[in-house]
Amino acid sequence: MTSCPFHVQPARPAQHLPPLLDPALRMRPVGEPLPAPLRMHGGPLAQTFSRWLRQRDDTAHASEKAALTRALQALSGDEVRSHARRQAEIAMTGGWPHWSWAVPAATVASLLGLPMTDVDAQRRLHGALRAMAAGLSATADQDAVTAGGAATTTLLKALDRAERRSPDAPLQSTLLHRAAPSRWTDRATFAANRLALIWQSHEAGAALLGHALLEMRRTRITPSRDDLLRIARDGGAVRNTRRFDADGAVVVVPLAGTEHSFGDGPHRCPGQSLTLGALHAALEWLAEKSDWQIPEPVSPLSLPNMDIPQFPESPRTPLSPQSPHEERHP
Ligand code: HEM
């Protein structure tokens, strides 16, 4: 029997896509590209935020994201490893409160050619990223947005300088070759997303590295890349993300406990491999230093979507020569 062409089929129930794959769920509410504090106070932080791939669902997103992803994929694992080890070594001169905070972002900055040659340079980078974080807070006042804007301008200028002086720095070079400014809507969008690589590595990287340190302190075993993925999956990195539906209502999407701790769909993290390589290399460096002992953590910095472990200053205590830590890493 053939079906009548004029018969209207009853509507099928809407297909339920996982939220991260659902094009109806957006990164920002419709017509609101900026959160309220940035909308009210404007400035360089607001301009940069609105250009970030992380905040956009426009038609240019896919091609710009693809170029950025190719640039990150072209990074050599050896370069990532050697820059992470160097930054881990420099960061240890700043002590435990500094180490896990500094290493992820300083490694990305160094791969981009910023001169991360001493702990003061790392501290300046960290200070600028904390100022950006304060300016991006939902409760930021005018002073915080202004200070975040000044920090943004400083980092954008430093990256422009690095492009002129160190175009062969590993990540600067892969960006210039595979995600060149001409592939982006405009030069400012390229520059904003180059800075986003450091920004995106900052809190999520510190959360994951901090949780890896907690595990290493407990087990005395250096987490592998797979262990780092498991730690992230178990809630040791970004625990959830948000989307907005067509009415502007927030949809909270869990990531912890899923196979998508680095996201999924069009906004999936392009920095996963860089993160796992850099953090594993930094932890390996640490494991080789037999005279460091990871101290008991103090209260973490609790953000809505992640906890960032924090560590106190502690004296350099030699590890026992019998410890399994040393057996694993002679
Ligand atoms: C070098 C370090 C990192 C870089 C360069 C980086 C870069 C990025 C970028 C550019 C995006 C936005 C992609 C888009 O919207 O199209 C992103 C998204 C994301 N990143 Fe990363 N990231 C890094 C570290 C991390 C870490 C340590 C985690 C934690 C596991 C993480 C988890 C995520 C997640 C969950 C998203 C998706 C957010 C969402 O869909 O709402 N990233 N990352």
Side-chain angles (χ1 to χ4, degrees), residues 27 53-54 61 65 68 108 197 200-201 204-205 208 232 237-238 241 243 255 261-263 266-271 274-275:
M27 303 309 271
L53 290 170
R54 172 69 184 77
H61 177 274
K65 171 79 175 283
L68 183 72
V108 179
L197 297 178
Q200 292 283 151
S201 71
L208 183 51
V238 184
T241 185
R243 294 292 186 269
L255 298 171
S261 43
F262 282 83
H267 289 277
R268 184 187 165 76
C269 179
L274 165 55
T275 299

Side-chain angles (χ1 to χ4, degrees), residues 81 84-85 87-89 99 103-104 107 209 216 222 276-288:
R81 183 165 181 274
R85 286 177 66 88
Q87 293 307 311
E89 185 179 4
W99 195 79
V103 168
T107 300
L209 188 53
M216 203 165 154
T222 312
L276 298 178
L279 270 46
H280 178 59
L283 292 165
E284 264 188 343
W285 175 86
L286 186 63
E288 288 163 14

Side-chain angles (χ1 to χ4, degrees), residues 112-113 156-169 172 176 187 194:
L112 282 164
L156 287 171
K157 283 186 181 160
L159 285 165
D160 280 342
R161 250 190 331 271
E163 180 182 335
R164 285 194 305 277
R165 293 184 186 166
S166 311
D168 296 330
Q172 192 71 248
L176 293 172
R187 165 93 202 172
R194 181 169 59 183

Side-chain angles (χ1 to χ4, degrees), residues 183-202:
R183 291 182 183 271
W184 297 78
T185 303
D186 50 30
R187 165 93 202 172
T189 306
F190 164 78
N193 283 285
R194 181 169 59 183
L195 171 54
L197 297 178
I198 304 178
W199 166 249
Q200 292 283 151
S201 71
H202 172 53

Side-chain angles (χ1 to χ4, degrees), residues 31-75:
E32 265 183 54
L34 293 173
L38 296 185
R39 192 168 62 243
M40 277 162 63
H41 306 302
L45 184 57
Q47 288 155 16
T48 299
F49 178 97
S50 65
R51 293 184 169 107
W52 279 341
L53 290 170
R54 172 69 184 77
Q55 307 300 337
R56 293 169 30 207
D57 291 298
D58 53 51
T59 50
H61 177 274
S63 65
E64 294 180 355
K65 171 79 175 283
L68 183 72
T69 303
R70 281 195 296 273
L72 286 162
Q73 281 168 349
L75 257 183

Side-chain angles (χ1 to χ4, degrees), residues 194-278:
R194 181 169 59 183
L195 171 54
L197 297 178
I198 304 178
W199 166 249
Q200 292 283 151
S201 71
H202 172 53
E203 290 179 336
L208 183 51
L209 188 53
H211 281 92
L213 281 184
L214 296 183
E215 178 165 306
M216 203 165 154
R217 181 174 190 279
R218 215 178 44 249
T219 62
R220 309 273 182 179
I221 293 170
T222 312
S224 63
R225 287 173 65 115
D226 283 349
D227 291 329
L228 288 169
L229 261 184
R230 170 182 48 74
I231 292 169
R233 194 185 57 222
D234 291 348
V238 184
R239 287 195 303 255
N240 58 62
T241 185
R242 299 189 319 167
R243 294 292 186 269
F244 295 90
D245 70 13
D247 301 323
V250 173
V251 177
V252 175
V253 186
L255 298 171
T258 76
E259 293 306 314
H260 307 299
S261 43
F262 282 83
D264 198 9
H267 289 277
R268 184 187 165 76
C269 179
Q272 176 173 337
S273 180
L274 165 55
T275 299
L276 298 178

